Amino acid sequence: MSNTVHPPISFEAWFSGFHVMAGPCSVESREQIHQSAAFLSSRGVRLLRGGAFKPRTSPRSFQGLGEPGLRMLREAADAYGMLAVSEVMDVEAVPLVTSYVDVIQVGARNMQNFSLLKRLAKERKPVLLKRGLAATVDETLSAAEYILQGNPHVILCERGVRGFEPLTRNMLDLAGAALLCQMSTLPVIVDLSHATGRTDIVAPLAAACVALGVQGVMMEVHPRPAESVSDAAQAISFPLFDEILAGIEPYLQARNAVERAGGAQRAASA
Ligand code: PEP
Ligand code: MN
């Protein structure tokens, strides 16, 4: 178990700026997660993701490294001053996962695992709650309420819903993300990797997310995408990640200008 004491992330910080959460689908090795952390932190990313307990469709697929994976994630995050984000799949694993991460992820397949949600209401660390595969906006907000009964730190995540379009893994519901922002006071982020299942349309969608006003995006990034043991098709290479960041920069500046103008307008009319 990790002995390090990690100060909880300031929840207020989620409401300013645009947060990029990135890292591999799965923690695969010490080298892989360190390379990811070194690269991402050099690009200003503070939230390092990496799965150690993987909810795979087939039991024959890689299930994650478990606790050793969590330890590698923690060490990489600490080495580069980042916050660690990883999924917890069941109630029994909550103490273990919570002892290693700064943000506890609830995956889409568990959005309505009410025992898990009730258990996470007893935690203080932020919970990243992913929208279920076929959950409505209202159902997502109701799931969040279970955690909010005791833990006010919930971050909502739109990650696409099951659709009929075979060209994307899921159907990204930007309208749903807009409604999550409008109907709750919680931070909302969009997972562009699981939403699309591909890498070539992440850049324009990231720009759309900036314009939409959500608090951030999640992307799966891998040092050697073709070697990724899970979700290789959506793994973003380091050079592509740089292109995506560069591509959203003008939109971030425009958003800041719009927010400043709005602030000035409110101050003038107060
Ligand atoms: C993940 O983010 O690692 C993941 C499994 O995503 P989802 O739960 O959205 O499918
Ligand atoms: Mn994945």
Side-chain angles (χ1 to χ4, degrees):
M1 294 271 269
S2 163
N3 302 320
T4 330
V5 177
H6 300 285
I9 182 176
S10 142
F11 197 64
E12 289 65 40
W14 278 96
F15 294 95
S16 58
F18 186 76
H19 301 271
V20 175
M21 186 179 286
C25 179
S26 305
V27 178
E28 297 168 12
S29 67
R30 182 164 284 117
E31 188 218 9
Q32 175 242 24
I33 195 67
H34 271 265
Q35 281 180 354
S36 305
F39 168 74
L40 293 166
S41 67
S42 77
R43 301 309 195 253
V45 174
R46 287 201 58 219
L47 293 144
L48 179 67
R49 66 148 284 142
F53 294 98
K54 297 301 301 175
R56 305 306 301 282
T57 302
S58 165
R60 289 181 297 281
S61 303
F62 175 66
Q63 301 288 310
L65 296 180
E67 186 173 3
L70 286 175
R71 192 175 309 118
M72 290 173 200
L73 177 70
R74 180 73 265 159
E75 284 167 4
D78 285 344
Y80 297 94
M82 301 175 85
L83 299 168
V85 187
S86 202
E87 175 164 354
V88 65
M89 293 210 305
D90 45 67
V91 173
E92 295 71 35
V94 170
L96 176 76
V97 175
T98 305
S99 73
Y100 283 103
V101 305
D102 301 293
V103 177
I104 311 160
Q105 180 170 323
V106 175
R109 290 155 194 79
N110 261 325
M111 191 203 81
Q112 287 186 315
N113 178 342
F114 299 115
S115 313
L116 181 61
L117 303 180
K118 283 182 189 170
R119 176 63 187 79
L120 291 172
K122 299 193 178 123
E123 294 297 325
R124 307 314 302 162
K125 289 186 176 175
V127 176
L128 176 69
L129 178 65
K130 299 190 98 182
R131 181 178 183 178
L133 302 171
T136 64
V137 167
D138 272 331
E139 285 162 353
T140 306
L141 292 170
S142 294
E145 273 182 52
Y146 272 90
I147 306 166
L148 291 168
Q149 304 254 306
N151 179 354
H153 304 142
V154 179
I155 300 149
L156 301 172
C157 181
E158 158 62 29
R159 43 78 74 209
V161 289
R162 194 49 81 83
F164 53 79
E165 174 54 70
L167 295 178
T168 51
R169 182 172 177 180
N170 290 293
M171 296 253 255
L172 175 57
D173 183 11
L174 287 181
L179 286 170
L180 289 174
C181 291
Q182 194 183 89
M183 295 168 73
S184 85
T185 55
L186 299 169
V188 176
I189 70 165
V190 176
D191 172 353
L192 295 170
S193 294
H194 293 92
T196 60
R198 48 197 296 161
T199 60
D200 54 346
I201 51 174
V202 167
L205 292 172
C209 288
V210 175
L212 195 59
V214 293
Q215 275 69 40
V217 285
M218 179 198 275
M219 291 179 249
E220 285 189 344
V221 176
H222 195 287
R224 290 165 298 279
E227 292 173 23
S228 184
V229 298
S230 55
D231 288 353
Q234 66 194 40
I236 293 168
S237 67
F238 292 174
L240 179 58
F241 185 77
D242 274 341
E243 270 179 47
I244 295 168
L245 280 197
I248 61 173
E249 191 49 40
Y251 295 91
L252 282 171
Q253 283 174 19
R255 171 164 151 172
N256 290 339
V258 170
E259 280 168 10
R260 274 197 305 276
Q265 221 165 49
R266 277 194 298 277
S269 60

